[in-house]
Amino acid sequence: MKIVVLTTGATRRRYFVEKIQAKFQIAQVFIETRDPPPPYPTAHPLDDARKVHERDHWYDGNPPAFDSIAKVKSFDDLNDPAAIAELRDLKPDILLVFGTGRLSKAVLDQCPGGSANFHNGDPEAYRGLDCHLWPLFHSDFKALRMTMHRLEPELDTGGIIDRRSVSLQRAMPLSHLRQAATELAIDIAIDALNYFKNNGCFASTTQVRKGRYYSYMPAQLKDICIQKFERYTSTL
């Protein structure tokens, strides 16, 4: 089976690809380089803390170049005709999406049966961006999940292939949550790929409700999330 990954160059995406590559051959990784700025301030010390933690936890502070892990090609926008043409030529059996911008129907049409996205949350409650933070703002700790779902033109509405709760530890800082979620995404991906290898498809269940769409979390709300998360994990 031919696997193509659509992602970004972030450290956690490299780690994800590295661990999948150790189990299955990845034919190509397409990296989206655009990073449009949010329309309001979102930068917060939490963002830097989790980046530093991920680099240190997985790579002792020195993550490898992406092209040392897998075959990569970079595009500003994965919806560009050049990216779609490259994808069409590859004829993937499986298209794994982790962290890109919204993809067009023209992209999804290149792998209609095997396209799946990794969503850092529960899409039946929280769709869109920062879905590991919005549940904290709402004190909805049970929604701290990682979901693998089929791709549809509408964001985060496709059938659920797998959905699991992120494992939390006592006194765990919020800067460690995304690392735990990424490692869970790897476990989910490996199980789903093994299923596809044995059955020629992904099994999924239709979502029964459509979660509310959220955008970037404003910087001033992240302090609230830190306080609520640390208060919650102190009781585990």
Side-chain angles (χ1 to χ4, degrees), residues 53 144 166-181 226 229-236:
H53 169 69
L144 293 176
V166 180
S167 179
L168 305 179
Q169 307 299 321
R170 183 177 177 84
M172 177 182 183
L174 183 51
S175 58
H176 293 195
L177 177 61
R178 198 171 63 179
Q179 165 243 316
I226 291 171
F229 185 77
E230 292 184 351
R231 189 159 55 240
Y232 180 74
T233 56
S234 71
T235 65
L236 296 178

Side-chain angles (χ1 to χ4, degrees), residues 176-218:
H176 293 195
L177 177 61
R178 198 171 63 179
Q179 165 243 316
T182 300
E183 291 171 356
L184 179 58
I186 292 165
D187 291 341
I188 289 172
I190 289 172
D191 287 347
L193 290 171
N194 277 320
Y195 185 93
F196 194 105
K197 181 179 179 181
N198 293 329
N199 297 279
C201 64
F202 290 128
S204 63
T205 57
T206 302
Q207 294 189 39
V208 298
R209 61 175 178 164
K210 184 177 178 180
R212 177 181 173 184
Y213 177 82
Y214 289 83
S215 188
Y216 299 97
M217 176 168 281

